[in-house]
Each structure stands twice: as C-alpha cells, then as structure tokens.
Amino acid sequence: MGAPLTIWMGRSGSGKSTRLYDRLISHAQKGERATLIVAEQYTFEAEKALCGRLGGLLGVQVLSFSRLCERVLQERGQGLPVIGGSGRRMILKKE
C-alpha cells in the first residue's frame, strides 16, 4: 500500500504552505520520495519555492493533475495516443 494522503485546509496566511514545504524538505532529507500535486498554473511557483528552500528538487516531485495522469498512464504501459502525420493533416485540412 502507498503512503498516506495528507490534506491541509485553512485560511490565507495560516501557515499551510510553510508546513507543507517543511514536511517535503523533511522527507527529502531522509532520502524519502515525496510528491506535491498542484494546480496547472502553480507548478513553476511550487518548484521555485522548493528549490529555494531545499536547494534542488532531488527526491521531491511537483506534478500538476494532468502530468500526474500522464505519469500513471506511462507506468501502466498506456501512454497517451500520438497522432500520426495523416491524422495531423486531417485535423489541419481547410475546406
């Protein structure tokens, strides 16, 4: 069985992000792997914040929901379908 899922809720400024980053850093320093799932538009800011606090992203993954889905499909051998040249031409064809 996998690791437990932790969800923190609270008002703005209540320390959720600080607590989250501290927990991720703790896991990384112990050599454990950790995954942070964020909204699509927040991936860069989360990676930047972790790099600033941790000095890198070794052992910590920051994934958006769509990237998490892609990763699961890849691990299960069911990658996303790729459109070939003829399919691309069909989509782009003007009438």
Side-chain angles (χ1 to χ4, degrees), residues 3 6-7 25 34 37 43 46 53 62 68 75 81-83 91 93:
T6 304
I7 299 174
I25 290 167
I37 303 169
T43 55
R53 291 172 178 242
V62 178
L68 175 64
E75 288 182 8
V82 178
I83 296 177
I91 291 172
K93 184 178 178 186

Side-chain angles (χ1 to χ4, degrees), residues 3-52:
L5 173 67
T6 304
I7 299 174
W8 288 312
M9 297 186 299
R11 294 184 197 159
S12 177
S14 64
K16 299 178 302 291
S17 296
T18 301
R19 188 173 172 191
L20 172 70
Y21 291 131
D22 289 345
R23 179 76 71 89
L24 288 169
I25 290 167
S26 172
H27 282 288
Q29 289 173 340
K30 292 178 193 173
E32 301 171 347
R33 290 175 38 191
T35 302
L36 175 61
I37 303 169
V38 298
E40 300 286 334
Q41 67 272 18
Y42 191 61
T43 55
F44 179 72
E45 287 94 14
E47 288 174 345
K48 186 176 172 183
L50 276 171
C51 282

